[in-house]
Amino acid sequence: MRKLGDPPRHVAVVVSVQPDSCEEFEGFATSISGTVVSVEVTNLRTAGGQAACTGPERETRTEVPLGPDLSPGETYTVDVNGTAAVFVAGPPEPTEVADAASDPEPTPVGHVRAMRVTVLLDDAGAGLEAVFQALVLDRSDGPAAGVTVQASLQGPVGTQMLRSMVGEARTDEGGIAEFRFGVEHAGTYLFLVELAFGLGAILDRDGSGALHAFLEVPPQQGEQP
């Protein structure tokens, strides 16, 4: 589950399937009741009965805003066309951290950008550990060292086994934050850089070159895809 902005704007990444050329992604509608957010994603049949429906099956990835009014720390359920996932609403992005007068700190780095997200284990299989690296630069294009980065791994998307895992890592001298997540099932996973904070850092989403990466995990022998 993705969290953006101040106040936080939560976004669900939804993968919908169009089985042939006669069907197109139409749109989505959302509603909230208590701690349950319902999302209905629809396709549209665009051809008449006489037309031949050809072409391969396609997928559409859609970011669905869940609204700015979720309570920080509250557990919510997102139901997308009958498939549910649970997440905890996050707080607003941190503001700049003031230096303590009696304990000098390094110079604040200001706005930072995530310029590259790398999947190190492209051939990761179910039951293994997937490793991701995010390169974070300051506004002078230098490495932003010592910045805490928060990222999440969601997946397998579009399945009943959807989970959202969140981790934190600090950038090294080269501006790289490394994350390790256990991958339990085959399918498509979304790795997403959520926040960067510390040393006065604020993540500049518009200036970032990449905030996410997809990981395709093949099924193990005998496992259903």
Side-chain angles (χ1 to χ4, degrees):
M1 212 57 57
R2 180 176 170 188
K3 303 183 288 294
L4 297 176
D6 184 7
R9 180 171 66 87
H10 296 73
V11 176
V13 178
V14 178
V15 178
S16 57
V17 176
Q18 293 75 53
D20 53 46
S21 60
C22 291
E23 193 155 310
E24 299 290 340
F25 171 75
E26 182 179 29
F28 61 85
T30 61
S31 61
I32 184 169
S33 176
T35 58
V36 177
V37 183
S38 299
V39 181
E40 182 179 4
V41 178
T42 56
N43 287 344
L44 178 68
R45 298 296 290 186
T46 58
Q50 301 300 319
C53 296
T54 61
E57 180 180 283
R58 292 158 293 135
E59 289 186 351
T60 300
R61 288 182 170 88
T62 308
E63 291 191 353
V64 179
L66 303 182
D69 300 324
L70 305 186
S71 301
E74 183 71 61
T75 299
Y76 288 87
T77 299
V78 177
D79 187 305
V80 181
N81 288 22
T83 298
V86 176
F87 75 101
V88 178
E93 292 189 11
T95 56
E96 295 191 6
V97 178
D99 293 338
S102 60
D103 186 13
E105 295 286 344
T107 302
V109 296
H111 285 75
V112 295
R113 296 164 292 142
M115 297 309 295
R116 184 182 72 237
V117 175
T118 304
V119 183
L120 297 186
L121 296 184
D122 290 332
D123 57 347
L128 299 181
E129 187 176 63
V131 182
F132 303 86
Q133 285 186 346
L135 171 64
V136 182
L137 302 179
D138 60 25
R139 64 179 61 194
S140 301
D141 290 329
V147 172
T148 298
V149 179
Q150 186 180 90
S152 65
L153 183 69
Q154 296 109 34
V157 295
T159 72
Q160 299 266 355
M161 300 173 291
L162 177 66
R163 292 181 57 203
S164 180
M165 299 166 279
V166 178
E168 286 187 358
R170 179 168 293 186
T171 56
D172 59 19
E173 292 300 319
I176 293 177
E178 184 171 287
F179 298 85
R180 296 174 178 268
F181 291 99
V183 178
E184 299 179 2
H185 303 284
T188 301
Y189 289 79
L190 171 65
F191 174 81
L192 180 68
V193 175
E194 305 271 8
L195 299 172
F197 52 93
L199 297 182
I202 300 175
L203 183 63
D204 179 3
R205 293 186 174 275
D206 293 333
S208 294
L211 291 172
H212 71 275
F214 288 101
L215 171 65
E216 299 291 341
V217 178
Q220 290 181 315
Q221 186 174 3
E223 181 184 10
Q224 293 295 323

